[in-house]
Amino acid sequence: MSFCDKVIYQIYPKSFCDSKGTGCGDIKGVISKLDYLQYLGVDFVWLTPIFCSPQKDNGYDVADYYNIEPSYGTMEDVETMIAEADKRGIGVMFDMVFNHTSTSHEWFAKAVAGDKAYQDYYFFRNGDRVGKPPTNWVSKFGGSAWEYEPKVGKHYLHLFDKTQADLNWTNPQVRQEMAAVVNFWRGKGVKGFRFDVVNLISKGAFESDGTDGKRFYTDGPRVHRHLQELNKDSFGQDPDCVTVGEMSSTTIQHCLQYAGAGKNELSMVFSFHHLKVDYKDGNKWALKPFDFVGLKQLLFDWQIWMQEGDAWNALFWNNHDQPRAVSRFGNDEKYGKQSAKMLATVIHCLRGTPYIYQGEEIGMTNACFEGIEKYKDVESHNAYALLKEKGVGEKEILRILGERSRDNARTPMQWDGSKNAGFTAGTPWIEVCKNYKKINVKKSKKDKDSVLEHYRSLIQLRKKHKVIAEGRFVPLLDGHKRVLAYLRVLGDVSVMVVCNFFDTVEVCDMGVDMAGYKVFLSNYKKSVVHRHMALRPYESLVLMKSQDIRE
């Protein structure tokens, strides 16, 4: 696979770099930081949606797939960004929202105006009785997944916000429209595509049952056929194009098909099961310490099953919808540097393609805002109101938001120690994290022991050693309740990764012959290798046998 040694960097444009002093990031801001991304060593930059949008859901409500949201810049800016990235050996990946459009999209407007052809672009259905929606399906944002449209006299389906109407992929014209969008941006030089909640595009029977309806539209009956057709009609025509699908509540069995070699669907998949191990009773807004044993089992299961099925994982801890991993699974106060490096080591040495979310590479942390007025995310405000109704105290609610809010990932990128962390000359759209003078790119580049330098080393390891890019995954220490360890093996070359997930010294018997293994990368100085090892808090080791090391 041509992408097995690649590393992808995710940019949330609104919070990355503001070139105009408006307080919001833009495309010219991205262009100004391409040298930094080249220095980091990444191969692709994935931008969350920059298309024209009312921004009801941060751009995931697209009103025009062919034009750029003016607050981000112009088509000329995008063309310049693509060309300048290419000069630096970096491909651009666009975020394609194909499950739904904004209700501000021209197609929906024509549907509401009475055009039957465009009504068939969406799911307009009669209620099962007067005033009642067609099914009891629940929106992922809460409430009914159906909204009544009086001008049509029917309900339309929206699995997300009511301003995000689901597209009808059984309509061949819709499928042709989607392929045309991909091909338009391929023509502009875009070399990768991330497909938002793409395993929801095929709906099954429109029925009600005792559940929220997920089983009727998750990994639906025609989803693989639709992706194979999209592949054939667009990105599959370029063997070097890299694609990734965001898979909502999916299964390994389906992902073997979505991202399987020779299946002609996608290059790789995101799954999210490992990021729910700290949800108490499955509730995002109920806190509990993360379940390390469960986390390890999920990571290992996906590694093993995807490997056996010759399918490919997208590897990540962070994105624009998740709190910062170093605050979540590490210790961002006492062991910030060590735990950030440890988490990076786990992901970057696994079988799959690593994704870095902006700021992760310098150890950015949760914001932990001190008042609800500082949060911008609609989900956070909804959660605040819901928890208030349940009688939860203000202090506890803010503690929950401090650990769970999506805004933790959306604070401005911390470039330096100047005002607003060098993100903007204006007033930032959301407050900068208070620790920006301690954690920023400028300071990290001067520190040879920084989290940034550790990320650079991990990226180079993947490019330099085929065993990390292509090797077989072998789990170690399955039963250890505090340490995660595994081997990567390619021919007679092997790499061992050992990581302590806790702030205590952990002793482990590696259970294998350690003769000849030497430390290749560590987050501590003077690490010692033995079969029986005492790992320091959050210690991570990448070990190779001496004869395997290729300088």
Side-chain angles (χ1 to χ4, degrees):
M1 289 173 282
S2 61
F3 48 81
C4 62
D5 65 343
K6 306 300 188 230
V7 176
I8 299 175
Y9 189 93
Q10 183 192 354
I11 290 176
Y12 190 70
K14 191 174 183 178
S15 297
F16 191 62
C17 183
D18 171 20
S19 71
K20 297 180 289 188
T22 63
C24 291
D26 49 49
I27 300 303
K28 286 184 177 179
V30 173
I31 295 170
S32 73
K33 300 300 182 182
L34 288 174
D35 284 345
Y36 166 71
L37 297 174
Q38 183 181 30
Y39 166 81
L40 180 58
V42 298
D43 302 281
F44 283 84
V45 289
W46 151 32
L47 283 76
T48 54
I50 55 173
F51 310 114
C52 287
S53 165
Q55 300 292 317
K56 298 291 186 182
D57 187 26
N58 298 288
Y60 285 92
D61 49 325
V62 178
D64 184 347
Y65 291 104
Y66 293 98
N67 284 295
I68 304 303
E69 175 62 27
S71 63
Y72 288 134
T74 65
M75 183 67 77
E76 184 180 5
D77 293 336
V78 171
E79 291 168 346
T80 299
M81 176 185 68
I82 293 169
E84 289 298 317
D86 186 64
K87 289 178 184 177
R88 293 162 175 81
I90 299 172
V92 172
M93 175 180 280
F94 269 16
D95 204 327
M96 314 308 286
V97 189
F98 282 0
N99 176 70
H100 48 264
T101 72
S102 168
T103 52
S104 296
H105 197 288
E106 179 186 20
W107 301 340
F108 194 83
K110 288 181 176 180
V112 170
D115 191 317
K116 299 293 184 183
Y118 282 97
Q119 286 177 9
D120 195 40
Y121 272 43
Y122 301 93
F123 294 102
F124 284 96
R125 297 288 188 273
N126 290 313
D128 64 350
R129 55 188 186 277
V130 176
K132 295 292 183 181
T135 71
N136 68 342
W137 295 5
V138 177
S139 162
K140 290 180 179 290
F141 285 176
S144 174
W146 296 94
E147 180 73 9
Y148 184 70
E149 175 46 64
K151 291 183 180 178
V152 179
K154 296 180 180 182
H155 294 78
Y156 65 87
L157 179 68
H158 61 91
L159 293 182
F160 294 88
D161 187 73
K162 67 180 181 180
T163 64
Q164 294 167 292
D166 277 55
L167 286 164
N168 175 17
W169 276 68
T170 61
N171 182 343
Q173 188 62 40
V174 169
R175 302 198 300 274
Q176 290 171 23
E177 296 271 19
M178 299 295 95
V181 170
V182 173
N183 287 331
F184 174 83
W185 290 109
R186 286 177 57 222
K188 293 286 186 181
V190 176
K191 295 182 178 179
F193 297 93
R194 182 261 192 189
F195 294 98
D196 184 62
V197 293
V198 74
N199 65 320
L200 307 184
I201 61 174
S202 173
K203 278 64 177 180
F206 286 91
E207 299 176 1
S208 296
D209 63 6
T211 70
D212 57 9
K214 282 182 183 178
R215 72 182 183 90
F216 294 109
Y217 58 78
T218 302
D219 301 317
R222 293 170 295 276
V223 65
H224 297 293
R225 192 187 320 162
H226 291 336
L227 285 175
Q228 288 162 9
E229 181 180 307
L230 183 64
N231 179 312
K232 177 175 67 71
D233 292 344
S234 60
F235 58 81
Q237 297 168 12
D238 178 2
D240 293 325
C241 188
V242 175
T243 56
V244 58
E246 180 194 27
M247 301 297 166
S248 174
S249 303
T250 190
T251 65
I252 293 176
Q253 289 70 27
H254 274 287
C255 288
L256 294 175
Q257 177 75 24
Y258 291 130
K263 300 297 185 181
N264 299 318
E265 295 190 22
L266 300 168
S267 305
M268 65 192 83
V269 290
F270 287 119
S271 65
F272 295 87
H273 302 286
H274 67 297
L275 295 178
K276 298 178 181 180
V277 295
D278 54 358
Y279 289 10
K280 187 176 181 180
D281 300 323
N283 179 2
K284 174 177 179 176
W285 305 105
L287 303 182
K288 74 168 188 177
F290 77 95
D291 175 4
F292 170 71
V293 173
L295 173 66
K296 183 163 76 168
Q297 190 63 55
L298 282 165
L299 290 175
F300 283 8
D301 283 350
W302 278 81
Q303 284 287 295
I304 293 167
W305 280 89
M306 294 290 275
Q307 175 173 267
E308 291 182 357
D310 198 12
W312 202 248
N313 282 305
L315 308 168
F316 72 108
W317 289 121
N318 299 276
N319 65 28
H320 61 289
D321 284 332
Q322 298 291 333
R324 294 285 182 177
V326 68
S327 300
R328 187 176 187 179
F329 302 117
N331 183 326
D332 62 10
E333 295 180 357
K334 189 175 180 181
Y335 296 103
K337 185 178 286 189
Q338 292 90 341
S339 56
K341 291 181 181 181
M342 180 276 291
L343 290 167
T345 300
V346 171
I347 288 295
H348 281 255
C349 293
L350 285 171
R351 180 183 181 275
T353 296
Y355 284 69
I356 301 169
Y357 178 68
Q358 64 183 50
E360 172 188 340
E361 77 281 9
I362 58 172
M364 281 181 63
T365 68
N366 283 350
C368 297
F369 292 141
E370 296 171 353
I372 186 61
E373 71 282 355
K374 295 186 178 182
Y375 286 93
K376 306 299 181 183
D377 179 30
V378 63
E379 182 190 47
S380 298
H381 282 270
N382 289 344
Y384 177 87
L386 181 63
L387 291 167
K388 274 279 189 185
E389 286 179 12
K390 292 181 176 180
V392 182
E394 180 83 6
K395 185 176 180 181
E396 178 63 12
I397 294 175
L398 290 175
R399 187 173 80 90
I400 293 170
L401 291 175
E403 291 195 28
R404 290 285 191 268
S405 173
R406 300 190 298 184
D407 278 345
N408 286 307
R410 299 173 181 181
T411 57
M413 180 68 178
Q414 293 163 206
W415 293 107
D416 57 40
S418 66
K419 186 179 180 181
N420 298 326
F423 163 69
T424 180
T427 301
W429 73 275
I430 190 171
E431 193 172 287
V432 175
C433 196
K434 289 181 179 179
N435 59 16
Y436 72 90
K437 290 187 177 181
K438 179 182 176 184
I439 300 173
N440 61 66
V441 171
K442 185 175 181 180
K443 187 172 182 179
S444 297
K445 289 178 77 171
K446 294 178 179 179
D447 178 6
K448 293 183 179 180
D449 189 43
S450 67
V451 175
L452 176 61
E453 288 307 305
H454 194 80
Y455 270 82
R456 293 183 71 224
S457 296
L458 286 166
I459 292 169
Q460 290 307 310
L461 280 180
R462 176 168 287 267
K463 297 182 183 311
K464 195 173 183 180
H465 299 279
K466 283 191 174 183
V467 63
I468 294 176
E470 303 175 16
R472 185 166 51 91
F473 171 86
V474 180
L476 295 175
L477 303 182
D478 281 22
H480 203 294
K481 296 181 180 181
R482 313 280 283 185
V483 175
L484 185 149
Y486 57 88
L487 288 172
R488 300 298 306 286
V489 181
L490 185 65
D492 60 354
V493 180
S494 63
V495 171
M496 182 184 295
V497 178
V498 188
C499 296
N500 177 9
F501 265 75
F502 294 88
D503 60 2
T504 52
V505 174
E506 297 299 330
V507 177
C508 55
D509 178 350
M510 296 309 302
V512 296
D513 182 7
M514 301 295 290
Y517 276 104
K518 290 187 177 180
V519 178
F520 207 60
L521 184 64
S522 174
N523 60 350
Y524 275 89
K525 295 178 180 178
K526 299 182 180 178
S527 294
V528 179
V529 179
H530 292 297
R531 173 167 173 161
H532 297 274
M533 286 196 286
L535 298 172
R536 288 163 285 189
Y538 298 104
E539 185 166 10
S540 65
L541 299 168
V542 180
L543 310 173
M544 285 189 182
K545 290 184 179 179
S546 57
Q547 65 264 32
D548 296 338
I549 298 175
R550 308 285 189 263
E551 295 298 342

